[in-house]
Amino acid sequence: MHRNSAATVSGPVLVIGSGLLGASVGLGLSVQGVETWVSDISPTTEAVAADIGAGRSLARLVEQVGPESARADIDPQLVVVATPPDVAAQTVAQALEDYPQAAVVDIASVKEPVLLALRETGADLSRYIGTHPMSGREKSGPVAARGELFMSRPWVICEHDDVAPETVRLARGLATDLGANVATMDVQEHDATVALISHVPQVMSSLLASRLRETPLESLSLAGQGLRDTTRIAASDPGLWVQILSANARPVVETLYGVREDLNRLIATLERPTADGARLDIAELMTEGNDGVARIPGKHGGAPKAFSALTVLVDDTPGQIARLLVEVGEIGVNVEDMRMEHSQGQPVGMVEISVVPTARDGLVHELTERGWKIAE
């Protein structure tokens, strides 16, 4: 592969931690021709990451020439620490010592605890900066890695008082080389933000899903898309979330205090649902939720747009959804969003398509003319 001339990180790059994110970083850089090395505490994980093309195996080089020669041979421009949060600071400190000419970034999901721990070690923080790519998948490990995982996703850079401009430049370059959109926050703002937009949603999803453990299967067979949407992330790795929630406990708790107040308010209202003002209070709670959802940016950023949805019934046979999308494109309508739901007990699926309001009626007419069934 030829190196992208517009890229900022020239390499070599050493990625420590070869799971989903680390291997994805390696794949994204390797495909651009950056000399990339991967390392992991698990020899198997490191070997798989190397085999899929995320970089060359550091362990294999160490076997050939020894650890000191291996460090000298690699001489990385940048070290990316992609380890779990509970060992991120320790790994960064070791990397700063092992590679005294390299800038070191970590991509852990919490930032202030890592920075505070590094300050206590006396490490050279001019060569360190914390970052956080807001990307992921429900699957884990290097086999789930994708070089395009970070494309058009936010990547937060957390500058601090001791960091050198060159370290910041390389951190920003790494993010932009991988196609991400750079955002800048300090560590406290970052941790408070991810508590609200990522960590508490995980907690709420897991709490709701835990209510399903003893639910009869015949009851769960009635579940619609609402339950699936709100419990999807409850399938996440418990071990990772123990580390994340423990490391970011205070910001998460501060948000949960507010959730508890709202929950207690709703419980008190529903205990007397016919009392004066009860229905108004329920409506206000729902409206407050509407207001919050309306503030989430749309797919192009900025203020969200209101779209109109239509549901198309699709036979449960190969190629039907692809044919539907092709025909929507032929009609000349852009799909702004889409989700799918299977009809329980029936060989048919339901595809909900969101389009700009002015295009909806025409699309319904054209699809009906082409033989599609629309659920109004």
Side-chain angles (χ1 to χ4, degrees):
M1 287 287 181
H2 294 292
R3 180 71 173 114
N4 179 356
S5 60
T8 305
V9 177
S10 57
V13 174
L14 170 62
V15 181
I16 302 177
S18 304
L20 169 64
L21 294 183
S24 294
V25 169
L27 282 171
L29 292 175
S30 295
V31 78
Q32 296 185 52
V34 178
E35 180 184 349
T36 307
W37 295 81
V38 292
S39 173
D40 198 277
I41 192 172
S42 165
T44 300
T45 299
E46 179 176 328
V48 171
D51 289 345
I52 66 172
R56 297 164 64 185
S57 169
L58 177 61
R60 292 175 188 169
L61 180 63
V62 169
E63 288 178 358
Q64 296 168 1
V65 302
E68 292 187 8
S69 295
R71 288 195 290 269
D73 288 349
I74 294 177
D75 188 23
Q77 176 196 32
L78 178 66
V79 178
V80 180
V81 173
T83 60
D86 62 344
V87 295
Q90 173 187 342
T91 308
V92 168
Q94 189 64 54
L96 289 167
E97 180 180 337
D98 290 344
Y99 304 101
Q101 304 304 315
V104 180
V105 306
D106 80 281
I107 58 174
S109 55
V110 291
K111 299 271 67 87
E112 186 176 24
V114 177
L115 180 60
L116 293 177
L118 284 170
R119 289 196 189 282
E120 293 181 357
T121 69
D124 178 10
L125 296 184
S126 69
R127 295 187 291 114
Y128 162 75
I129 189 168
T131 80
H132 182 199
M134 304 293 291
S135 306
R137 302 184 68 195
E138 294 173 37
K139 301 178 181 179
S140 61
V143 293
R146 299 290 184 269
E148 65 278 8
L149 183 68
F150 312 102
M151 191 69 65
S152 299
R153 299 294 300 164
W155 191 310
V156 184
I157 309 292
C158 296
E159 298 186 35
H160 56 85
D161 292 341
D162 300 316
V163 67
E166 175 63 9
T167 303
V168 177
R169 185 189 72 82
L170 286 172
R172 295 179 68 91
L174 173 68
T176 55
D177 286 356
L178 294 173
N181 299 323
V182 174
T184 302
M185 294 180 174
D186 63 36
V187 292
Q188 295 89 354
E189 182 185 10
H190 168 273
D191 288 358
T193 298
V194 296
L196 176 61
I197 69 170
S198 176
H199 302 169
V200 169
Q202 174 66 51
V203 170
M204 301 302 290
S205 179
S206 295
L207 289 175
L208 174 58
S210 72
R211 300 293 91 201
L212 307 178
R213 289 176 299 168
E214 306 300 327
T215 304
L217 290 179
E218 58 267 28
S219 298
L220 290 177
S221 68
L222 303 178
Q225 198 63 35
L227 184 65
R228 293 184 175 88
D229 285 346
T230 51
T231 59
R232 178 181 58 82
I233 58 174
S236 298
D237 177 19
L240 175 62
W241 278 100
V242 167
Q243 296 182 37
I244 292 172
L245 294 175
S246 298
N248 205 32
R250 175 47 51 186
V252 170
V253 166
E254 293 292 342
T255 301
L256 287 176
Y257 285 155
V259 173
R260 183 173 63 184
E261 290 177 5
D262 287 341
L263 187 58
N264 286 339
R265 171 185 166 191
L266 179 59
I267 290 172
T269 298
L270 293 180
E271 285 176 338
R272 300 178 61 210
T274 60
D276 291 344
R279 292 175 178 80
L280 175 60
D281 194 47
I282 295 170
E284 287 177 346
L285 280 168
M286 298 298 105
T287 301
E288 289 166 10
N290 295 159
D291 294 342
V293 168
R295 299 193 68 233
I296 300 174
K299 71 173 185 176
H300 301 299
K305 295 180 179 179
F307 299 124
S308 293
L310 62 146
T311 300
V312 185
L313 304 182
V314 178
D315 292 338
D316 191 13
T317 55
Q320 290 301 298
I321 295 175
R323 183 169 72 88
L324 171 63
L325 294 177
V326 167
E327 294 197 18
V328 171
E330 291 174 350
I331 294 168
V333 174
N334 186 53
V335 175
E336 303 292 342
D337 198 1
M338 182 183 76
R339 68 176 186 174
M340 294 175 288
E341 180 177 359
H342 192 78
S343 180
Q344 289 291 335
Q346 299 295 327
V348 65
M350 294 175 285
V351 179
E352 182 182 282
I353 299 174
S354 295
V355 299
V356 294
T358 55
R360 184 186 185 282
D361 290 345
L363 180 60
V364 169
H365 174 75
E366 290 290 338
L367 288 176
T368 302
E369 288 290 311
R370 293 169 180 242
W372 294 98
K373 295 179 180 178
I374 311 297
E376 294 287 355

